[in-house]
Amino acid sequence: MGRLPPADHAFANPVPPHPLPPHVDLPECWHLGPQQVAQAVDEDVVGALQRTADSVLAECVAEATFHDSEFSDEVAHLVADFTLRGGKRLRPRLLWWAMRACSGAESEGALRLGVALELIQTCALIQDDVMDRSHTRRGRPAVHIALAEQRGLAADSGAGAVFGASAAVLAGDLALVWADDTVEETFLPIGRRRQVRALWRAMRGEMIAGQYLDLRGQIDGGASAARALRTAYLKSALYSVERPVALGAALAGADEWTTDALRSASRYAGVAFQLRDDLLGVFGDPAVTGKPSGDDIREGKPTFLLAMARTCADAAGDDRALAVLDRAVGNPDLDEDGLEEARSVLESTGARALVQDKAERLGDRAARRLAQAELDAHGGEQLLGLLNAVAGTRAVPLTLVQEGRTQ
């Protein structure tokens, strides 16, 4: 794209062609081969990713400054800061350890693609908060709230709400543009570049489709359990877990059997991840999740948890439970007493326990499927640990899973 040289600003922190953890002596790193560089990054993947993000976003902000200084100060810096300061870096870590599990060593490509994943996540979160009218994200004001307030507007006023939402849409667009530019400007061997681009295009479309189904479900007044799972698969399992893992396998040039095993394992873990996220959306501690608890009920999100509650209540002929759900789900004015009553119904119908059990079983299937692939021992263990964390299942060494001794 022919970017301008990075300006001297807070985000500037260039990295060498092979980003390394801080403890590696840079003057001595230039002679290292690809595997040695990758092994060095293994010791601090998040740190290497952060330095790469600093460098990539320095260029992005500098280019925005060239377009217009006020736009850069008010929007570009906000998008860069949001991307740099928050999140668990789950998607980049999945990508990295999938690549390493397949004995790959495309360090610079993997780290840059990891930054692109963080940017597309920034886009998704900004847009999601606008659509859900959420006020907080990662323990801070959501981007549309911050944009309104930095212009001196009350976020809940008419002018503030319109400006904040409109400006946040543009901020989300900017994050998506930066993500695409980062992928486009990442050097990869021709064959792998073609695979990466195909996966990237698919992931973008799936993410948007899943978000639309989520929105439509709120308007339609709920969804069947099957439809809720389909939405979870598109909105979260593919975008958050399976595609990042597939990108890592593609970077490593993994064979078809290995790629299929990794994708299946990550698909199971990804659905479990969304099911547990649905539970956190209702029962989670805001101090831990960084967002209000109960908003999924107030917004009428078509989650598997709510679908199962209705299914169980119908099967039991529990008219009271159905009446509580009818009053609570999709009611933006639901107070804490009403929310607590809805939580009680999710417990009494058995929906919460059923969703927890399904997530655990999916997590176990993820581990067993991963164990069928021939993987690098260290990389495979790290990837399994991440998938266990994603699915919320207990950690079991890969060797024990392979031997069928997981109890």
Side-chain angles (χ1 to χ4, degrees):
M1 188 173 71
R3 292 193 185 279
L4 299 170
D8 182 16
H9 51 61
F11 299 113
N13 185 16
V15 294
H18 299 298
L20 293 165
H23 64 270
V24 177
D25 188 6
L26 291 179
E28 298 179 2
C29 75
W30 304 109
H31 69 284
L32 297 178
Q35 284 292 341
Q36 291 172 298
V37 170
Q39 288 166 6
V41 176
D42 284 348
E43 298 181 30
D44 185 12
V45 177
V46 172
L49 177 76
Q50 189 71 24
R51 288 189 297 280
T52 306
D54 286 342
S55 180
V56 168
L57 290 172
E59 290 193 44
C60 292
V61 172
E63 188 170 35
T65 303
F66 178 76
H67 297 324
D68 184 85
S69 60
E70 289 184 340
F71 167 70
S72 177
D73 289 344
E74 296 175 13
V75 180
H77 276 79
L78 187 63
V79 170
D81 181 64
F82 183 92
T83 305
L84 288 170
R85 67 171 161 77
K88 299 176 181 178
R89 312 306 186 203
L90 170 65
R91 294 160 187 82
R93 286 188 291 148
L94 285 167
L95 186 157
W96 178 266
W97 288 115
M99 179 189 74
R100 297 296 288 144
C102 298
S103 301
E106 289 282 349
S107 297
E108 185 178 5
L111 291 170
R112 284 182 59 86
L113 290 177
V115 174
L117 287 172
E118 288 296 282
L119 282 166
I120 202 170
Q121 171 70 347
T122 291
C123 168
L125 293 179
I126 291 174
Q127 307 282 24
D128 193 54
D129 286 343
V130 170
M131 288 182 273
D132 292 344
R133 297 173 296 282
S134 299
H135 281 69
T136 60
R137 173 65 67 175
R138 295 173 175 170
R140 297 189 182 187
V143 167
H144 63 285
I145 302 295
L147 284 164
E149 291 178 345
Q150 75 178 4
R151 298 303 305 150
L153 299 169
D156 57 356
S157 68
V162 171
F163 175 82
S166 300
V169 169
L170 296 176
D173 289 346
L174 183 65
L176 181 58
V177 167
W178 285 356
D180 281 346
D181 287 348
T182 302
V183 173
E184 180 64 27
E185 294 171 4
T186 297
F187 173 78
L188 296 170
I190 292 176
R192 295 177 191 181
R193 182 176 181 82
R194 188 177 300 113
Q195 285 181 283
V196 165
R197 282 180 167 179
L199 288 167
W200 184 260
R201 285 195 301 270
M203 183 184 68
R204 289 179 313 181
E206 291 155 355
M207 178 190 73
I208 296 169
Q211 186 63 57
Y212 174 74
L213 292 181
D214 188 49
L215 279 174
R216 198 186 73 175
Q218 295 177 51
I219 295 297
D220 292 344
S224 67
R227 192 64 174 172
L229 279 179
R230 176 63 179 167
T231 302
Y233 174 62
L234 282 171
K235 186 183 176 185
S236 189
L238 273 167
Y239 154 66
S240 294
V241 187
E242 182 177 342
R243 292 305 187 190
V245 167
L247 285 167
L251 282 177
D255 60 45
E256 185 176 354
W257 169 260
T258 301
T259 298
D260 284 347
L262 264 62
R263 290 185 63 173
S264 295
S266 56
R267 188 178 309 131
Y268 293 137
V271 175
F273 170 76
Q274 184 57 54
L275 296 184
R276 291 193 180 278
D277 193 60
D278 292 344
L279 289 167
L280 288 173
V282 176
F283 298 100
D285 180 356
V288 176
T289 64
K291 57 184 179 179
S293 178
D295 276 4
D296 285 0
I297 291 178
R298 292 188 177 98
E299 293 157 11
K301 283 188 174 291
T303 65
F304 183 70
L305 174 64
L306 291 175
M308 288 307 300
R310 289 189 183 280
T311 298
C312 293
D314 271 331
D318 191 342
D319 292 336
R320 177 192 167 276
L322 289 170
V324 169
L325 293 173
D326 286 340
R327 288 195 304 269
V329 177
N331 177 7
D333 299 320
L334 186 69
D335 60 20
E336 283 302 315
D337 288 340
L339 181 59
E340 195 55 43
E341 189 178 24
R343 289 191 180 113
S344 177
V345 165
L346 295 177
E347 296 266 14
S348 64
T349 58
R352 182 180 185 180
L354 285 169
V355 172
Q356 287 174 329
D357 179 66
K358 186 173 184 65
E360 288 172 7
R361 286 187 284 111
L362 286 168
D364 289 341
R365 291 175 73 179
R368 291 197 299 271
R369 188 69 177 97
L370 188 69
Q372 295 174 2
E374 293 186 10
L375 303 175
D376 169 83
H378 178 62
E381 286 287 356
Q382 294 294 323
L383 181 59
L384 176 61
L386 274 178
L387 292 181
N388 283 333
V390 162
T393 50
R394 63 193 178 92
V396 178
L398 186 59
T399 52
L400 295 185
V401 181
Q402 291 168 331
E403 295 168 6
R405 295 190 288 122
T406 59
Q407 300 301 319

